[in-house]
Amino acid sequence: MWKGRFKEQTAELLQQYSESVSFDWRLWRHDIEGSIAHSAALEKAGLITPEERSRIVDGLREIGAEIEQGRFEFKRELEDIHMNIEAELTRRIGDPGAKLHTARSRNDQVALDLRLYLREESGELVGGLRDLQRALVELAERHAEVVIPGYTHLQRAQPVYFAHHLLAYVEMFARDAERLLDCRKRINVLPLGSGAIAGSTILLDRELVARLLDFPAVTQNSMDAVSDRDFAVELLSALALIAMHLSRLSEDVILWASSEFKFISISDAFTTGSSLMPQKKNPDVAELTRGKAGRVYGNLVSLLTTLKGLPMTYNRDMQEDKEPVFDSIDTVKAALAIFAAMLGGIRANSEACAQAVSDPNLLATDLADYLVNHAVPFRQAHEVIGKAVALCAERRCELPDLTLADYQALSPAFEADVFAVLTVEKSMAARQAVGAPSPQNVAAQLARWKGLLSS
Ligand code: ARG
């Protein structure tokens, strides 16, 4: 493609070192789509005839069909997907093919292809998030009655509906989807027409290309357009957050499935055994997902680091943008899909959950609130209940085992109705603030999410 300037062939070692077609071939559809739109602008500018354009379009479509069927031979010596397609087109149709690259550089071409690709993938990722949210809501609905201890510091804190815990993740994944859709706005700008760095002396109708490729906007600075990969960094960062959320969900699943918790069982189809210990049933999906968060974070740091020292504008370093981006997209898509499938086979163990939530210490705060309702300042109430808990620990009993006299010795504000506070049902019913897990609130949230996710 640059033979005019050179007398010697590119060294075999350099070809191997610099080729990207082994991974950027996956941009083929976007490359072809972009070239078809570009050819419309060439025709409009009178640079190719309608006849030449239709030979270009047919040729590109033919190549596309062959790639799709796995019949196309990619050549490493042609470096990347852009040159592979263009060279083959020219081999097939001659001069019209050789006109295709007019007023275009691989610098604006690759920026375009990547944007088209990420625009499509961001949509698919949102779909994957929605499927996972639906699976969480479905799991929550199947166990609408189950109450578990909520934890802070991994210490039992207060009772919550299992559904409330799962809906916390639904909220996280909703923010993730919002982030992707927001990032998509910055992906969705047409860079083609920026040329290598300074546009071109040949004037093409960029608005036409934007319309054909469904871009609502075109880039406003040719130098920025060919050097900008912010949109890819943003996407990698959104993916890192999704991976973090998946990893935290994984951690809960792993804990819940342990013999120590026993809150859930995972179906055989989504667990593995041990080659040595016959009793084992391991939550590998969750462990792998927790592990993969590391590479998704790594991909973000990798691209940021690649870009940080680059002078304006395009530098070949930027070819290193693709593998981290592809890897994070593949990794997160796969994790979202397998998690949604695994959640379908999770069952809560209502007995173990009821056993765990029957721990009366979970209601210690409710007792402090009782005193507040009997005009005791909260700080004092907190101390009184702390003493009651210490007394129980000393006597090796639980809060409901103390007598009214015991309670009244700690505070005269206690009355006979104190024991009525000490039930999980009461505790849940009282948690009525917006966002708190009263039965009505949780039911309303389940209904809200079902509605939002059905459309
Ligand atoms: N394969 C290159 C990349 O992915 C395409 C752009 C090459 N541009 C250039 N001037 N060598 O970044």
Side-chain angles (χ1 to χ4, degrees), residues 2 18-21 23-24 27 79-82 105-108 110 196 229 314-322:
W2 47 75
S18 68
E19 68 83 23
S20 56
V21 70
F23 50 87
D24 69 13
L27 298 175
E79 222 178 87
D80 55 24
I81 183 64
H82 324 292
S105 154
R106 274 185 299 151
N107 297 354
D108 58 348
V110 71
R229 292 294 181 274
Y314 177 85
N315 296 269
R316 191 64 185 277
D317 317 46
M318 288 161 73
Q319 182 169 294
E320 295 292 315
D321 61 358
K322 281 165 215 66

Side-chain angles (χ1 to χ4, degrees), residues 388-408:
V389 170
L391 184 63
C392 289
E394 208 177 288
R395 292 195 193 161
R396 296 173 186 282
C397 71
E398 304 286 358
L399 287 168
D401 303 327
L402 297 181
T403 64
L404 182 58
D406 292 329
Y407 277 113
Q408 285 174 337

Side-chain angles (χ1 to χ4, degrees), residues 268-280:
D268 288 355
F270 290 96
T271 46
T272 63
S274 156
S275 54
L276 180 77
M277 299 165 283
Q279 86 283 10
K280 290 297 285 293

Side-chain angles (χ1 to χ4, degrees), residues 163-444:
H164 191 60
H165 192 136
L166 295 172
L167 287 174
Y169 284 102
V170 175
E171 298 280 345
M172 291 178 226
F173 293 124
R175 290 196 294 276
D176 290 332
E178 258 178 53
R179 247 184 299 276
L180 287 173
L181 292 172
D182 187 62
C183 159
R184 194 178 187 278
K185 293 184 208 153
R186 261 123 15 230
I187 293 173
N188 208 9
V189 184
L190 175 84
L192 201 72
S194 304
I197 169 169
S200 169
T201 57
I202 296 164
L203 190 63
L204 298 183
D205 183 352
R206 296 188 68 205
E207 299 292 344
L208 167 68
V209 179
R211 266 197 311 282
L212 290 173
L213 294 173
D214 206 18
F215 282 103
V218 303
T219 55
Q220 299 293 308
N221 181 300
S222 62
M223 295 179 77
D224 179 41
V226 292
S227 65
D228 174 25
R229 292 294 181 274
D230 297 358
F231 59 92
V233 173
E234 274 190 63
L235 186 80
L236 283 178
S237 137
L239 291 173
L241 269 167
I242 297 173
M244 184 267 278
H245 291 153
L246 284 167
S247 185
R248 294 185 76 172
L249 176 57
S250 296
E251 183 61 17
D252 277 341
V253 165
I254 292 163
L255 286 173
W256 289 347
S258 69
S259 305
E260 283 66 25
F261 278 77
K262 281 203 193 69
F263 289 180
I264 60 168
S265 63
I266 309 172
S267 69
D268 288 355
F270 290 96
T271 46
T272 63
S274 156
S275 54
L276 180 77
M277 299 165 283
Q279 86 283 10
K280 290 297 285 293
K281 190 173 164 187
N282 297 326
D284 291 37
V285 170
E287 292 171 88
L288 282 166
T289 305
R290 189 177 56 185
K292 283 173 194 289
R295 63 196 274 175
V296 177
Y297 293 1
N299 289 333
L300 169 63
V301 174
S302 160
L303 183 56
L304 281 169
T305 311
T306 294
L307 295 172
K308 75 177 272 290
L310 299 186
M312 291 281 267
T313 52
Y314 177 85
N315 296 269
R316 191 64 185 277
D317 317 46
M318 288 161 73
Q319 182 169 294
E320 295 292 315
D321 61 358
K322 281 165 215 66
E323 287 160 294
V325 165
F326 294 161
D327 183 64
S328 280
I329 290 173
D330 292 348
T331 303
V332 170
K333 264 168 113 176
L336 290 171
I338 198 164
F339 244 89
M342 178 180 68
L343 292 178
I346 285 185
R347 219 149 294 288
N349 176 351
S350 31
E351 269 162 47
C353 294
Q355 171 65 35
V357 89
S358 71
D359 176 353
N361 278 341
L362 288 166
L363 303 175
T365 326
D366 297 50
L367 271 184
D369 293 346
Y370 168 91
L371 286 178
V372 167
N373 286 326
H374 288 69
V376 180
F378 179 74
R379 281 290 157 225
Q380 288 166 28
H382 185 282
E383 189 184 339
V384 167
I385 306 304
K387 284 181 178 153
V389 170
L391 184 63
C392 289
E394 208 177 288
R395 292 195 193 161
R396 296 173 186 282
C397 71
E398 304 286 358
L399 287 168
D401 303 327
L402 297 181
T403 64
L404 182 58
D406 292 329
Y407 277 113
Q408 285 174 337
L410 290 165
S411 165
F414 281 115
E415 290 170 32
D417 62 351
V418 58
F419 295 100
V421 172
L422 290 169
T423 73
V424 170
E425 293 69 32
K426 267 253 159 66
S427 178
M428 301 316 292
R431 300 176 180 279
Q432 288 172 12
V434 174
S438 72
Q440 293 79 5
N441 282 357
V442 174

